[in-house]
């Protein structure tokens, strides 16, 4: 199926994304910068703090701080929550290419690693990636992961950390669940990426699946939004 058609279908299937209770002001479309900004390079001590909210209710679930901990052959971003507890780290095999992803609740290890943000910072750029993932702690079992990334364009977006010029892009993910009872698994993200901070300013994620033998009933995963509250 044409990726754009799949994106439309998935957007309907995961309707809570961008709907439900508004978690932050929507972006205002702007012209592309005359000179496309380069993505800030990683350095030790760079830090981003996000408010994590339930998209359905707008309720704040946690405050997550992400910090560049190691810069070498790979980049490790440590994470902690509001209570000070250590969360699973994010590992990029190179800047902007993710190998170990804790974003989806359980840490997913991709082989090969896949782009975390668009390879070209321009509207209408798109690309499809195919990889396999395993769940941390279970390296012997891997599953298919197909991801379609599409850039919608540049926007100005206000979040608690301020106003930023961002490239808004979407990820449509069609994947094989580690639970054999779950089929037609789709995840969808909208991300506002600010090259000047080397990270996203806001991110919304949701997903859906069906149960084997009960096709027709679409079940929704949690729908979550992240807003940048501070960075350095």
């Amino acid at each position: 199926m044409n990726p754009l058609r799949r994106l439309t279908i998935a957007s309907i299937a995961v309707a809570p994304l961008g709907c439900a209770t508004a978690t932050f002001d929507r972006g205002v479309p702007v012209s592309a910068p005359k000179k496309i900004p380069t993505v800030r390079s990683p350095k030790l001590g760079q830090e981003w703090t996000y408010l994590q909210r339930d998209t359905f209710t707008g309720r704040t679930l946690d405050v997550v701080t992400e910090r560049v901990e190691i810069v070498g052959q790979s980049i490790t971003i440590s994470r902690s929550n509001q209570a000070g507890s250590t969360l699973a780290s994010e590992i990029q095999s190179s800047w902007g290419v993710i190998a170990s992803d804790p974003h989806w609740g359980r840490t997913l290890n991709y082989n090969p690693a896949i782009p975390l943000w668009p390879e070209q910072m321009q509207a209408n750029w798109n690309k499809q990636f195919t990889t396999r993932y395993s769940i941390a702690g279970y390296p012997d079992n891997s599953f298919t992961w197909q991801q379609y990334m599409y850039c919608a364009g540049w926007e100005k977006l206000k979040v608690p950390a301020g106003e930023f010029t961002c490239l808004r892009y979407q990820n449509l993910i069609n994947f094989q669940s580690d639970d054999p009872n779950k089929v037609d698994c789709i995840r969808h993200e909208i991300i506002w990426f600010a090259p000047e901070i080397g990270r996203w300013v806001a991110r919304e994620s949701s997903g859906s699946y069906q149960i084997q033998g009960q096709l027709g009933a679409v079940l929704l995963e949690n729908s979550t939004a992240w807003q940048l509250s501070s960075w350095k």
Side-chain angles (χ1 to χ4, degrees):
M1 181 184 293
N2 183 287
L4 287 175
R5 176 169 170 74
R6 288 194 57 80
L7 183 62
T8 301
I9 293 172
S11 299
I12 295 171
V14 292
L17 190 78
C19 302
T21 301
T23 51
F24 50 82
D25 294 337
R26 313 311 297 175
V28 177
V30 295
S31 299
K34 291 182 179 179
K35 182 179 180 181
I36 302 299
T38 57
V39 178
R40 183 173 72 153
S41 299
K43 292 183 179 180
L44 295 178
Q46 289 176 347
E47 188 175 284
W48 308 267
T49 298
Y50 295 95
L51 304 177
Q52 181 182 354
R53 292 179 172 169
D54 184 301
T55 307
F56 291 107
T57 65
R59 182 172 64 90
T60 299
L61 303 173
D62 208 343
V63 179
V64 177
T65 297
E66 303 179 334
R67 180 183 176 88
V68 177
E69 201 71 32
I70 299 173
V71 178
Q73 290 185 335
S74 61
I75 297 97
T76 298
I77 297 177
S78 64
R79 303 166 66 247
S80 60
N81 64 13
Q82 190 171 21
S85 300
T86 299
L87 305 176
S89 296
E90 174 187 306
I91 299 175
Q92 299 182 28
S93 59
S94 60
W95 194 226
V97 181
I98 191 164
S100 186
D101 184 2
H103 171 70
W104 296 105
R106 296 182 296 176
T107 300
L108 307 183
N109 296 319
Y110 302 117
N111 187 18
I114 56 176
L116 190 55
W117 54 73
E119 295 172 349
Q120 298 179 27
M121 297 287 161
Q122 62 184 41
N124 298 320
W125 178 89
N126 64 87
K127 193 169 183 178
Q128 184 167 320
F129 311 100
T130 300
T131 188
R132 296 187 69 84
Y133 76 93
S134 60
I135 297 169
Y138 302 91
D140 295 334
N141 298 316
S142 67
F143 309 92
T144 57
W145 182 276
Q146 294 179 310
Q147 180 169 320
Y148 176 70
M149 185 180 288
Y150 169 75
C151 295
W154 292 89
E155 296 184 353
K156 279 194 178 295
L157 184 69
K158 287 183 179 180
V159 293
E163 184 176 75
F164 299 85
T165 299
C166 309
L167 181 66
R168 179 168 67 86
Y169 65 96
Q170 300 187 50
N171 287 322
L172 170 64
I173 302 153
N174 186 3
F175 68 101
Q176 177 188 9
S177 175
D178 64 306
D179 182 345
N181 291 313
K182 293 182 179 181
V183 296
D184 293 338
C185 300
I186 292 175
R187 286 176 176 165
H188 183 206
E189 297 186 291
I190 304 176
I191 298 170
W192 288 261
F193 181 80
E196 67 179 285
I197 72 169
R199 201 76 173 164
W200 45 81
V201 167
R203 182 174 184 170
E204 295 185 350
S205 304
S206 64
S208 66
Y209 61 92
Q210 297 186 54
I211 298 298
Q212 185 76 34
Q214 301 177 20
L215 300 184
V218 176
L219 303 177
L220 300 180
E221 296 183 328
N222 293 335
S223 181
T224 309
W226 288 261
Q227 298 173 266
L228 185 72
S229 61
S230 67
W231 66 285
K232 63 181 182 179

